[in-house]
Each structure stands twice: as structure tokens, then as C-alpha cells.
Amino acid sequence: MTLAMLQTPPQSETPLQSVDRYFASIGWKPFRFQRSVWRAYAGGSSGLVHSATGTGKTLAVWMGPILKWIKENPDRSKWNPKRPPPVRVLWITPLRALAGDTEASLRAPIEGLGLPWLLESRTGDSKASAKARQNKRLPTALVTTPESLSLMLTHERLLDQLRGLEAVIVDEWHELLGTKRGIQTELGLARLRKLNPQLRTWGVSATLGNLDDARESLVGVDPVGDVRVIQGYTKKRLKLESLIPANMERFPWTGHIGTKMVPQVAELIAKVKSVLVFANTRSQTEIWYQHLLKQRPDWAGEIALHHGSLDTSVRRWVENGLRDGSLRAVVCTSSLDLGVDFTAVDLVIQIGSPKGAARLLQRAGRSGHQPDAESRLAFVPTNAIELIELAAAQDAIRKGHLEARPLLRKPLDVLAQHVVTIAIGGGFTADELLQELRTTYAYQSLSDPEWQWVLDFVVRGGSSLEAYPDFHRVNVHSGRYIVEDRRRITAHRMNIGTIVSDASMKVKFLKGKTLGTAEEHFLSKLNPGDRFLFAGRLVSLVRVRDNVAYVRRATGEPDSVPRWMGGRMPLSSELSAELRLKIEQAAAGKFVGREMKALRRLFEIQSRWSVLPRSDQFLIERIETRGGHQLFLFPFEGRLVHEGLSALLAYRISRFQKTTFTMACNDYGIVLQSPHRVDIDDAIARKIFSADDLVNDILNSMNSTEMAKRQFRQIARVAGLIQQGFPGRGKSTSHIQASSNLFYDVFSQYDPDNLLLEQSRREVLELQLESSRMFDALDRIERSEIVVTEPPKVTPLSFSLLVDKLRDRVSSETLADRIRRLQSQLEKEADKED
DNA sequence: TATTCCCCGCCAGGGT
């Protein structure tokens, strides 16, 4: 920072001139959109700014309040850095790690303009003393997380200060949108607006498919002043390319690791200064890291790993290495999708399916992280078919068909938590709070009975927990809801938040260094002495004690790579739709782009042996193998939908054809295998693809109770039925699952109308099974021409499904059926021997 | 014709 910048602006300067001078000092000329944001802000508007990452949105929004303040305090001789103004701006960011970085980038203009503002952050990482100090007097601008905002609302004495807040800015709003964290943020924003009805709300977001939802949920249903949606810098240059396998003919039709591409990827990495290598899974990053090192042993120390199971200290070290340019490449999961400005990264490599166009765009934006720099992404297929996905993603991006983030519908678990939060932070009366809640987009349609139910739930535990004082969390005194018990207040504060972690154990060296965490599930299957790859090292298990797995370095080959559970990322519906169009183009003989040209031979095999379906066709392939009769169906709707569909179809067919099915699915299709030949024409005639009665049939076809119970664990946690204990020292998940099952059973039996039960069933349908997408898929299939082929061999499209099925058996047949069938086979064998 | 399954958050008020 130059000396000139550290001076306060000359008295003669207008605020805008001061800001221009600041921008000039960092070598930028403000973009037109940035000035639009300032104008909107000065005019008292709220708004949402969206564009690709690395295009100056943060500064655009931040400068609004700064300009306004300079204008209101023109007498610069009175700017006294020792007496910073009271709190004025709250900046909310979804990542703890981002809070520090954000603070640094917001600080630059404060110092550059010589403002007397105090800027601080407050997250779970902050020292208790800092929080205590802030509780007495908040800084002029505070960077925090949604959870920490919630926590602040439990401190009554903070509320008075927050009344003086002029602006609240939510960064990376797309990241929170459509999640319970986003809902928690909405509730916090409503509270802040209640404290100061004139509050301006601004959001910063990547471009996404449902900007209207993003805007409305950000500002609430009755915003003060008008609301602008401002498109940021649009000229961000983007270069997407695929690494085409050197020998496409020999490139596997299936598989998801893609190590055949290691030499080509290493060559690419060698050509540039620093690279982010994104993989879809943590185990994949471990495998690729090892293979890259094997390919280039001289890169030891220059390449690193980054994923969510690694210890924080390791991750910070890696992030710093990227920042200062000392690392050549980092193999990571979406742990590096957000945050941390790596201006040094000049290439992003994506290994395997990007799953969605918006995600690909976001990742590409991690390179060339400056408005005038070009983002470069190289896609590395792990199997031949995947090349279609990049072709499809390019089309989706070009057409602006980016994924929408569907909003959640008034989840009552989050609401129950928030109500207790408000009761702690000074209390409320029922009508008053209801009015406030209905100003949020999420709860605008909250009905009176629902509201009564929530109040009843936090006051006396609902109708089934009345006998247990532990669940009488809120007291009512002459119409005012408050929490008096200090222990209960602390317990609530420790459990604020909507993220429910999986069961995991620390992994440590015997000497004490922590490597990270791994799933209980994975570690429990290992025996002492078993070798596995973890945190980029080969280690062997020594023992497990007190929820810690102790390991030592090992040599040789790994026996296994940890498989972390976790969400399954299905292909987005937008990308699926583009993919069906690409296949249709191929069917018409159009092969545009390097990816499609490379796939030409594969597509020709597919059409020779079977058919390449047009987008108004639905392909079913029937093949007989040693394993039995196989039906391959290709909705191209993503894994989650296919899981639901496969169970649904098996259920519907078995209602009128007596057979049992073994099923498997991937992002493209479904395979149903049966010991008997299924009369598919009959099945189609009997409307197995009908969307009628879908929900009932889904619930009957799957173990929906078990799914609901698992979903209920999260709901019970968020709603405050289960305390997970001190942060970082959570109770084991098996313990939490056990108590959550208990609640589930008690409610089912004694309180069947409990709205949290209803919520868990709904979340299973909407979130786990994507039932609305399933509905759309069936609707589309019903309108399509159904093409049934009998290929002579397993086709390129079917092949990976066949392999998946061998690996991952999901059977619809009961144990008894299976035993009977095995028995009859054995009898046949015996007959032959006779 | 090998291997699959992201990420994120979180307490603490009273004496010198």
C-alpha cells in the first residue's frame, strides 16, 4: 500500500472522487455495473448482484456503504481512527475460512481511504474475549457467518446495537440458497429488519437459474424501497477444453477414476505455474495425488491434497501454498469451490463428470480470478461416455441454462430452533413474532395452526413429551415467551446451526499429529495392520481407542482407500436435458466439437447394435446374459431419480408379472435384472410409466420408513430434540441415531400428527428422491415414443450399468424368494448330474 | 475394458 493511499482524502474531494482515486491506486477503473450498485445503494435500494466469480462484485457492494458514510461525514478533519463509528454494516459469509479473507479484502479500501472504521470478524474461531468485547460494542463493520448471526441474536444486549445497522450484505448467497442454512439466514435477516425497518439488504451471488427466487428470499416479502438485480461484469472470458484420450479406441467405456489420463494431465500441469485439480470424491483425490506423484516423483512437495476430511492445519497450509504460489498443483474436492482468492491459479482441471453446468462454471472461475483474466478449465474424462457431459455442459453454459436452486418450503425444525433463539434473545409475544416470520419468503405462508404447533413444541414438547421437563424449553409469562434457565440457554447456543455431521473418527499418528477424520463406517471394517491411503500418505491402522484411530506410516500397496459416505451428487436436470440433446444430435449424424467427434465411433457402435434415442424417444434395451434377463432403461435423469424410478418400476411390474428384480443405476440409466423374461410390451400397456399415484407407489416400493428415520435424525437435531454436545466433541452418531429413532417411534405411536414426522417424510420425497423430477421424467417418458431394442451385445450405454450391477447389488426380492430360487437352481444342477 | 460419491457451522458476563 502506498503512502498516498494511507492519507485521508483531501477535503475538496467528492466521495465519488475519493473512491475513484482509491480504485486508480489499485490499478482499476470501476466497471459500469459497480457504479450502478453505488447509485442503487445511494438511492436507498436493496439488491442482488450476480456474475461469474472473480469479477469485482465484493468491492462493488462494499463501496456502497463507504460512499454513503463519506458523504454523511464530509468534515474529514473529524475522522478519528481512535473513535470508530458504531456498527453500520454486517457482512455474512458462508465460510469460516472466508471470513478472514473477506475481512482482508474489505479492509483494503478502508485503509486506502483513511476511514476511521473498525472492521472485525466473528465466527466460531473467534476468541471468547473478542466476542465479549464485541457484545459490549460492535465494530463499524462485522464479518460473520449465518450461525454466528443466530448466536448474536441470543444476546439481548446486542440487539440495541444492531438497531443502528444500515446494511446487511450476504456474500455467496447462491451457496446458501435452497438450504437450511439459507433459511436460517432468512430468519436472521427478518429479525435485523425488525430491529431497523430501514435496513438495506444486499446479496452477492454467482449466476444461477432462479434469480427471482434468490432475490425474493433475500429481501423478504415486503422490502422497504425498491429491489435491484444487477448483473455484474459480463465479459469474463472462459476457455473450456477436453483432454481427449490419446487412444480413444482403447479408452474404457466405464469406470470413474480415470488414471489412464495421468500422463496427459501431468503434461498439462507441467506447462503452467499453478493448477487446481478438482475431483468429485475424496478417495479420488487421494488416488490421483498418488498417481501424479508416481508419474512425477520430482514434484514431491510441490503438489498437495485438499479435502474436507483433512485436518484444518493441513488445509490452511495448502491454501497458503496456493496463495503464495509455492504449490504447483492441488488435488481437491469441492472444498476449494469457494473462498480463498487464489489469484495465482492459472488453470483448473476437472476430473470426471462435472454433474452440473453451474458447478463447472464456478470451478472454472477459480482460475484467472481477476476481472480481466481468462478462466481456463480442462476437462478430463474418466470414461468415454463422460465426454458427452462436457459437450452438453458447454451448450448449457452458452445458452445460459444454469441450474436452479429450488427453495425449501417452511421447514419447521429450523423455525423451532429460531423461535428458541429469539426467546433467549429478549423474548417475544406470539403475534408479534408471527408477523415478523411471515415477512420471510420461506415462512410467508406459515399457517396459524402450524405456528401454534411450533409454539406448543418449544413450550411443552408437543403432546407426547409433556411429561419430560427437558423439552419444556421456553416459558410463557403473561403472553411473553422467554427462556430463563441458564443451562438451557448455554445448551441451545452450543447447538445452533443446521449442519448435521456424519459419524467420523479422528485419524492420528501414534506420535500425536492429527491427519484428519474418516468415517466410523470405513474404519470399523479395518483390522489392525490394514494399509490405506489417507491425507496423501500410505498408513496402517494400529488401533482404535476413545474414538481415535491411531496409524503409522506403511510401505507397499494400499489394501483400501477410505470411502467416505456423503451426499450423492446426481447429474443436474439442466445438464441431463442438454445431454439428451447431444445424443439426439449424434443420432442425426451431427458431431460438432472435439468431444463429439471423439465419440463418433462409440455412437456408431451404439446405433449399429441398438439405437441412439432422439429426445422424443425413450430407449429400452433388452439383453440376455448368464446372469439372467436384463432390461436397460435410459431416462438420463441423474442417479437419485433413477434410484427411485428403478424401485418404482420393479414394484409396478411385479404387481402383475411374478418375478423378482436385481437393480442398479447410474446417472444415465437403470438396469433391471430378473430370472424370468419380462413382457415389457405388456408392462408398458399397463402404464408402468404413469405418473398417476406416483407418491403412493414410491412409498410402497421402498423402505421409506427407514429413509424417513434417517432423515428424521437431522430434523431432530436441528429442532433441538437431540443435543450433540460441545462443538467438535460430538456424541457418536450411532448414539444420536438411536435417540432419534426413539423420538421417531414415540411420535409415530403417540403423536402421529407431529409436524416434524410429516416434514421428514416430505424431505425424503423431495430431497432424497427428487420426486418432482421423477414426476417430470415419467411425464416425459409417457409422451415419448418408447423404443425397445434387443442388441446382440452389451452396448456402450448399457455397459457401465452392467458393471455397476455386479458391484452394487440392490435386490427387490425377499430373502425367502432368493433362497427358493437358489434352491431350484441347485436342484437343476443336481438333475444334470443324474 | 477397475476402483465413486461434495461441502459448510457451532459456548462462555464477572472479578481484578
Side-chain angles (χ1 to χ4, degrees):
Chain A
M1 203 156 291
T2 65
L3 195 62
M5 285 167 53
L6 288 168
Q7 295 169 350
T8 53
Q11 288 288 356
S12 57
E13 249 180 24
T14 67
L16 208 54
Q17 282 170 336
S18 303
V19 169
D20 277 343
R21 189 170 53 82
Y22 166 71
F23 270 91
S25 75
I26 59 170
W28 285 15
K29 185 173 176 294
F31 294 121
R32 192 183 306 160
F33 91 88
Q34 292 178 312
R35 289 179 182 273
S36 313
V37 173
W38 304 341
R39 257 199 309 281
Y41 192 93
S45 303
S46 292
L48 177 72
V49 186
H50 68 99
S51 74
T53 179
T55 50
K57 298 183 295 258
T58 299
L59 269 187
V61 177
W62 179 236
M63 284 296 179
I66 287 184
L67 268 164
K68 184 161 180 287
W69 190 85
I70 298 178
K71 204 167 176 183
E72 287 163 4
N73 298 275
D75 188 354
R76 286 158 208 200
S77 61
K78 289 192 183 143
W79 291 8
N80 180 357
K82 293 208 173 122
R83 287 199 54 81
V87 65
R88 200 168 168 94
V89 186
L90 197 63
W91 187 283
I92 298 174
T93 161
L95 259 79
R96 216 166 36 191
L98 205 53
D101 270 28
T102 305
E103 198 190 318
S105 73
L106 301 185
R107 186 179 305 284
I110 289 182
E111 291 183 351
L113 290 165
L115 259 55
W117 285 22
L118 180 61
L119 170 71
E120 288 179 354
S121 55
R122 178 189 183 119
T123 69
D125 289 339
S126 307
K127 285 193 182 133
S129 57
K131 288 184 214 165
R133 182 166 39 72
Q134 289 168 347
N135 289 354
K136 287 199 193 102
R137 186 179 160 87
L138 286 169
T140 322
L142 184 67
V143 183
T144 190
T145 60
E147 286 78 7
S148 285
L149 169 60
S150 242
L151 270 165
M152 286 165 67
L153 298 179
T154 67
H155 292 275
E156 193 177 356
R157 50 195 300 184
L158 274 172
L159 301 188
D160 259 338
Q161 297 189 58
L162 290 170
R163 278 178 221 285
L165 205 59
E166 171 192 298
V168 56
I169 297 163
V170 188
D171 202 3
E172 313 273 12
W173 179 229
H174 60 280
E175 196 60 27
L176 295 168
L177 196 71
T179 69
K180 289 188 180 178
R181 298 187 76 199
I183 301 285
Q184 183 167 39
T185 311
E186 280 186 56
L187 290 165
L189 293 176
R191 173 104 293 218
L192 294 176
R193 277 183 214 116
K194 167 93 178 184
L195 293 171
N196 174 15
Q198 298 306 312
L199 184 76
R200 292 168 172 78
T201 312
W202 279 83
V204 182
S205 162
T207 300
L208 74 175
N210 50 339
L211 279 172
D212 286 342
D213 286 343
R215 185 199 67 225
E216 291 181 58
S217 53
L218 179 76
V219 299
V221 297
D222 192 18
V224 173
D226 63 341
V227 183
R228 304 289 180 78
V229 174
I230 296 178
Q231 156 109 58
Y233 187 68
T234 51
K235 292 193 189 104
K236 184 80 185 166
R237 286 171 302 144
L238 174 67
K239 192 173 162 199
L240 293 178
E241 58 191 319
S242 296
L243 283 195
I244 307 290
N247 189 346
M248 195 64 198
E249 254 95 278
R250 310 277 314 258
F251 198 63
W253 290 0
T254 183
H256 292 93
I257 302 297
T259 42
K260 272 206 169 169
M261 300 296 285
V262 167
Q264 270 172 275
V265 169
E267 264 176 51
L268 199 57
I269 293 175
K271 277 189 207 152
V272 289
K273 275 218 293 280
S274 90
V275 185
L276 278 179
V277 183
F278 281 104
N280 285 334
T281 69
R282 286 166 277 179
S283 46
Q284 202 176 8
T285 62
E286 299 273 355
I287 294 170
W288 265 84
Y289 175 74
Q290 292 301 331
H291 276 85
L292 284 173
L293 268 187
K294 221 177 268 174
Q295 182 77 24
R296 291 291 302 259
D298 55 314
W299 284 351
E302 288 178 44
I303 65 177
L305 259 177
H306 193 283
H307 61 67
S309 292
L310 298 183
D311 193 57
T312 321
S313 60
V314 180
R315 296 173 56 172
R316 296 296 164 264
W317 179 84
V318 172
E319 289 156 19
N320 286 332
L322 270 170
R323 235 185 246 113
D324 64 28
S326 60
L327 283 174
R328 172 187 290 278
V330 174
V331 189
C332 60
T333 59
S334 45
S335 56
L336 287 181
D337 264 353
L338 278 192
V340 215
D341 285 342
F342 307 125
T343 38
V345 173
D346 37 27
L347 173 68
V348 168
I349 294 178
Q350 165 71 35
I351 310 230
S353 163
K355 307 284 186 188
R359 167 182 269 117
L360 194 72
L361 202 56
Q362 172 86 19
R363 290 188 171 170
R366 303 312 307 163
S367 70
H369 201 267
Q370 273 168 319
D372 54 350
E374 180 182 63
S375 292
R376 271 189 69 199
L377 182 137
F379 173 72
V380 180
T382 59
N383 64 57
I385 310 280
E386 253 174 4
L387 279 170
I388 317 175
E389 282 191 44
L390 191 81
Q394 284 172 320
D395 284 1
I397 290 171
R398 194 165 44 239
K399 295 180 194 165
H401 289 178
L402 298 180
E403 281 76 17
R405 297 203 165 227
L407 302 185
L408 298 179
R409 276 174 29 199
K410 44 180 174 182
L412 296 188
D413 55 345
V414 187
L415 183 59
Q417 184 184 106
H418 181 71
V419 167
V420 177
T421 296
I422 301 302
I424 293 174
F428 61 88
T429 64
D431 287 347
E432 187 186 43
L433 184 57
L434 176 60
Q435 215 176 15
E436 175 184 322
L437 296 171
R438 283 185 179 155
T439 66
T440 63
Y441 196 69
Y443 297 99
Q444 54 182 322
S445 68
L446 188 70
S447 68
D448 290 341
E450 283 167 333
W451 176 230
Q452 280 311 319
W453 188 88
V454 171
L455 287 176
D456 191 48
F457 177 72
V458 298
V459 170
R460 58 173 192 120
S463 60
S464 53
L465 299 175
E466 193 165 11
Y468 306 94
D470 273 1
F471 303 105
H472 304 181
R473 288 181 283 169
V474 176
N475 313 106
V476 196
H477 290 301
S478 46
R480 196 155 184 85
Y481 292 72
I482 53 171
V483 180
E484 292 164 317
D485 185 350
R486 288 238 49 93
R487 283 199 333 269
R488 193 157 284 151
I489 291 176
T490 307
H492 180 76
R493 285 181 179 150
M494 288 199 297
N495 284 282
I496 273 183
T498 60
I499 299 172
V500 182
S501 308
D502 303 323
S504 62
M505 261 187 226
K506 275 197 171 159
V507 179
K508 274 185 166 181
F509 276 131
L510 280 171
K511 285 178 199 153
K513 182 174 152 57
T514 303
L515 288 171
T517 54
E519 296 258 329
E520 274 178 20
H521 179 74
F522 168 75
L523 290 167
S524 67
K525 281 190 307 193
L526 294 180
N527 294 313
D530 281 357
R531 288 163 296 184
F532 60 102
L533 277 181
F534 192 83
R537 298 175 168 94
L538 187 65
V539 295
S540 71
L541 183 67
V542 180
R543 61 169 168 265
V544 174
R545 185 170 294 166
D546 295 335
N547 226 28
V548 177
Y550 291 94
V551 298
R552 63 160 62 101
R553 276 177 187 281
T555 52
E557 289 296 311
D559 302 312
S560 54
V561 178
R563 283 167 54 177
W564 288 270
M565 309 284 275
R568 290 152 302 174
M569 299 172 290
L571 203 62
S572 75
S573 52
E574 287 77 3
L575 195 49
S576 310
E578 290 297 338
L579 196 136
R580 292 194 294 270
L581 288 177
K582 290 317 283 190
I583 291 177
E584 175 168 76
Q585 286 175 13
K590 273 189 274 179
F591 297 92
V592 183
R594 292 173 63 232
E595 293 83 12
M596 295 299 282
K597 287 199 172 81
L599 281 166
R600 184 172 194 133
R601 187 178 150 273
L602 198 73
F603 280 137
E604 279 166 1
I605 295 175
Q606 173 70 32
S607 31
R608 198 170 338 127
W609 293 353
S610 173
V611 149
L612 272 172
R614 294 193 311 263
S615 53
D616 61 349
Q617 289 176 322
F618 179 70
L619 172 64
I620 300 177
E621 294 181 350
R622 171 202 286 290
I623 295 173
E624 205 171 319
T625 64
R626 261 184 307 156
H629 298 265
Q630 328 274 346
L631 283 175
F632 296 93
L633 303 92
F634 297 99
F636 298 103
E637 283 287 357
R639 200 189 164 98
L640 291 186
V641 170
H642 292 165
E643 274 176 12
L645 269 183
S646 59
L648 176 83
L649 295 175
Y651 169 77
R652 285 181 171 176
I653 293 174
S654 60
R655 273 200 303 213
F656 48 82
Q657 295 188 18
K658 188 150 176 44
T659 188
T660 56
F661 290 104
T662 313
M663 303 166 300
C665 29
N666 61 20
D667 274 328
Y668 305 149
I670 298 166
V671 57
L672 298 176
Q673 177 188 305
S674 56
H676 316 97
R677 188 179 161 98
V678 171
D679 185 346
I680 189 70
D681 295 323
D682 176 52
I684 296 167
R686 289 174 188 258
K687 297 200 163 295
I688 55 165
F689 295 116
S690 166
D692 296 343
D693 225 13
L694 174 62
V695 170
N696 260 330
D697 283 357
I698 295 175
L699 294 180
N700 285 326
S701 65
M702 318 194 72
N703 191 349
S704 54
T705 310
E706 194 47 48
M707 293 176 86
K709 276 189 178 178
R710 238 174 302 147
Q711 194 72 20
F712 189 73
R713 174 169 73 89
Q714 304 182 16
I715 291 171
R717 227 290 284 155
V718 173
L721 287 171
I722 300 167
Q723 306 283 322
Q724 64 176 5
F726 199 83
R729 250 189 278 152
K731 292 176 190 164
S732 86
T733 312
S734 50
H735 171 83
I736 290 182
Q737 183 69 59
S739 31
S740 128
N741 284 355
L742 198 61
F743 281 114
Y744 189 93
D745 293 339
V746 167
F747 291 157
S748 303
Q749 198 170 349
Y750 301 105
D751 185 12
D753 297 330
N754 189 303
L755 293 182
L756 296 181
L757 285 182
E758 196 265 328
Q759 188 187 335
S760 67
R761 289 185 212 113
R762 201 179 68 215
E763 286 186 3
V764 166
L765 278 175
E766 290 177 2
L767 308 180
Q768 290 195 35
L769 294 168
E770 298 195 292
S771 58
S772 65
R773 230 178 122 180
M774 206 188 293
F775 190 92
D776 293 345
L778 287 173
D779 186 50
R780 182 174 56 78
I781 293 170
E782 271 217 295
R783 283 185 285 105
S784 302
E785 175 197 347
I786 296 178
V787 182
V788 183
T789 65
E790 303 213 14
K793 295 185 218 176
V794 180
T795 64
L797 283 179
S798 320
F799 188 81
S800 69
L801 275 168
L802 195 68
V803 173
D804 284 351
K805 183 170 63 62
L806 298 176
R807 191 166 43 237
D808 179 35
R809 278 177 183 279
V810 188
S811 177
S812 71
E813 67 183 350
T814 66
L815 189 62
D817 285 340
R818 182 181 279 194
I819 291 170
R820 223 170 290 131
R821 189 163 59 83
L822 280 174
Q823 226 158 14
S824 80
Q825 276 174 354
L826 285 176
E827 277 160 15
K828 269 185 217 155
E829 297 289 337
D831 285 346
K832 269 189 228 160
E833 279 175 27
D834 286 344

